[in-house]
Amino acid sequence: MEYRESSWNAENSGMGKYRNLPFCCIFLIGINGVIFLIGLIMPRMGAYLENAGCFSVFYLLYQGEFYRLVTAAFLHADAEHLLFNMLLLYFCGEIVEKSLGRCRLLILYLISAVCGNLLSAAYELSTGSFYESIGSSGAVFGLTGALLFLVIVKKGAAAHISMKRMVLAVLLSLYSGFSSPYVNNAAHIGGLLSGFLLAFLLSIIPPVLRRK
């Protein structure tokens, strides 16, 4: 029996086109969507998940429930809230994932969610007004901050987005939040700033390690 080199490969089999799919973005959107559907189909379970996963500085300081820094980023109040965040997640996350990689996108999402909620906690303490919040806005704004960094560094080469258009999109997103009294703007700002800084760190760490 002889072994011959096969002419079959991933590219000509049609599998090559799937390599460029933003799997991490799709994964995150899927998790958020499934959790929302569970709450929609089973209202009692939805209420339980919201009560157990929402964030407030009260739970953080007085009950030590630090897990809420992350769980709140996978809960949404209604379909409109979910749709807006998931569209922004895909729009920004797809470019960030292709530029920085899947693992770094996941790191950006989770740490931005934590930083957004931490700034929200600081705002609650500074104002003395305590409230519960849910939503992936802090994490999504982290991806927006990362995309802003990429656009600035690559001078618009990231998805051919000009710097002026990107800055305008960020300003409009922030303005839409400040125009509503029920939006956690502290989480938005915390996520945006942390995402920008994290994108910088994640982009310079690998080259530094390679030089060492």
Side-chain angles (χ1 to χ4, degrees):
M1 180 180 289
E2 294 181 356
Y3 290 96
R4 296 182 181 179
E5 184 177 355
S6 174
S7 60
W8 183 92
N9 56 53
E11 295 296 333
N12 57 34
S13 69
M15 293 181 64
K17 61 184 179 180
Y18 296 111
R19 292 179 179 176
N20 293 325
L21 286 176
F23 286 107
C24 191
C25 278
I26 296 171
F27 174 72
L28 290 171
I29 291 172
I31 292 179
N32 281 282
V34 167
I35 292 175
F36 181 77
L37 285 176
I38 290 174
L40 201 63
I41 297 171
M42 296 180 286
R44 289 186 179 180
M45 177 61 71
Y48 169 78
L49 291 174
E50 185 172 330
N51 291 330
C54 66
F55 178 79
S56 173
V57 70
F58 174 83
Y59 300 117
L60 193 68
L61 295 182
Y62 298 105
Q63 298 186 16
E65 296 175 344
F66 292 93
Y67 66 87
R68 291 176 182 269
L69 289 166
V70 175
T71 55
F74 292 92
L75 300 169
H76 292 85
D78 50 43
E80 183 181 357
H81 188 202
L82 174 71
L83 181 62
F84 176 80
N85 282 339
M86 294 304 100
L87 286 174
L88 197 56
L89 191 161
Y90 189 85
F91 173 76
C92 297
E94 179 189 16
I95 304 170
V96 173
E97 183 172 338
K98 289 179 179 179
S99 301
L100 297 179
R102 295 169 186 167
C103 291
R104 294 175 197 166
L105 175 79
L106 186 59
I107 292 171
L108 273 164
Y109 184 93
L110 295 176
I111 296 182
S112 296
V114 171
C115 291
N117 283 326
L118 285 176
L119 188 60
S120 175
Y123 178 79
E124 287 184 51
L125 290 174
S126 64
T127 59
S129 57
F130 303 100
Y131 49 83
E132 296 178 346
S133 61
I134 56 174
S136 60
S137 301
V140 170
F141 265 81
L143 300 182
T144 306
L147 180 58
L148 176 62
F149 170 81
L150 293 173
V151 170
I152 292 174
V153 170
K154 297 186 178 184
K155 297 180 180 179
H160 306 289
I161 302 174
S162 67
M163 194 180 305
K164 290 182 180 179
R165 181 174 295 182
M166 187 66 213
V167 171
L168 180 61
V170 172
L171 292 176
L172 287 175
S173 297
L174 290 173
Y175 173 77
S176 65
F178 281 105
S179 63
S180 174
Y182 301 106
V183 175
N184 190 345
N185 293 293
H188 290 186
I189 296 173
L192 182 70
L193 296 177
S194 61
F196 187 92
L197 179 59
L198 280 168
F200 167 71
L201 294 175
L202 292 172
S203 64
I204 66 170
I205 289 175
V208 170
L209 292 177
R210 283 197 295 267
R211 285 198 295 269
K212 289 184 178 180

